[in-house]
Amino acid sequence: MDVPVARSSECVIGITIPLPEPWAAQVTRVRSRAGDPFADHIAPHVTIVPPTLIERDCLEDLRTHLRRVAARTAPIRLHMAGTESFRPVNPVTYLVVASGAEQCDELHRRVRSQEGPLHRPPRFPFHPHVTLAQGVSDDALDAAAQEGSAIDAVFIAQNVHLHLLTEDGAWMLLEAPELAGLDTPKKRVATGAP
């Protein structure tokens, strides 16, 4: 996992949408069988903001900002199906966000907006996904992709999670604000027809 190194004045955060059961257990099983060292330490999730440095004194601002963003973001219907890889750039096999990716992208943009403390370009282009294996051999990545292709998850994401990387390398949940916004109906354009 690519985690930035924090200075004493900084901390590392991540923002995710948790993958519910039974699919979380399925993803964890795939990661374990692939020999992924993070299989038992990182709960399966859709990444909204990957591990990112933030000044410690901005953490409360981020919590407030994330609550505001969640309050105006509607729950997201997500469908995960199929597998892909970030190879050769990054040795990661992942479960594809087959639908709901646009809403995840919008959530990512809102979190990184100029209104909040994460307003800066991301280190990598945003691509919502659920990791199936990382940091393992090509054969293990291929095996994870094959096994993961049987996972077909459909659920409504109701919350977004803010995590803090602790000194012992664990991810601690700080906030889990509800996605409480309403979808606004698109305005109809008058055509003159009855």
Side-chain angles (χ1 to χ4, degrees):
M1 179 170 53
D2 184 26
V3 177
V5 178
R7 299 180 311 227
S8 60
S9 64
E10 298 172 319
C11 57
V12 178
I13 60 90
I15 298 174
T16 65
I17 292 174
L19 189 66
E21 296 298 349
W23 307 290
Q26 293 171 10
V27 168
T28 298
R29 216 171 11 257
V30 170
R31 288 188 83 159
S32 292
R33 289 181 183 154
D36 186 321
F38 302 107
D40 296 324
H41 305 291
I42 298 176
H45 61 272
V46 177
T47 302
I48 299 300
V49 175
T52 300
L53 288 172
I54 186 171
E55 292 292 329
R56 288 186 184 279
D57 60 6
C58 293
L59 195 53
E60 197 54 43
D61 290 343
L62 176 58
R63 292 171 80 145
T64 300
H65 174 63
L66 187 60
R67 282 186 227 119
R68 274 193 222 114
V69 168
R72 66 178 196 251
T73 301
I76 302 171
R77 183 186 184 278
L78 290 164
H79 179 202
M80 319 297 187
T83 62
E84 290 185 10
S85 176
F86 290 129
R87 289 181 286 180
V89 175
N90 198 355
V92 174
T93 293
Y94 61 89
L95 192 59
V96 175
V97 178
S99 68
E102 288 179 15
Q103 291 83 359
C104 290
D105 188 56
E106 178 61 25
L107 177 58
H108 171 83
R109 283 196 302 272
R110 287 179 179 181
V111 169
R112 285 206 178 267
S113 73
Q114 62 186 5
E115 301 166 9
L118 294 180
H119 181 61
R120 59 184 175 266
R123 293 183 303 144
F124 302 103
F126 178 68
H127 186 81
H129 66 282
V130 176
T131 299
L132 290 171
Q134 64 183 10
V136 296
S137 70
D138 280 342
D139 288 345
L141 290 173
D142 291 341
Q146 183 173 351
E147 186 178 357
S149 66
I151 298 172
D152 191 350
V154 179
F155 66 98
I156 305 295
Q158 302 281 355
N159 297 80
V160 61
H161 286 186
L162 171 62
H163 299 273
L164 174 70
L165 185 63
T166 62
E167 289 183 13
D168 64 357
W171 287 96
M172 179 175 69
L173 180 63
L174 293 181
E175 290 279 333
E178 183 179 358
L179 299 175
L182 300 174
D183 286 323
T184 54
K186 294 181 180 177
K187 293 181 181 177
R188 292 192 171 184
V189 177
T191 61

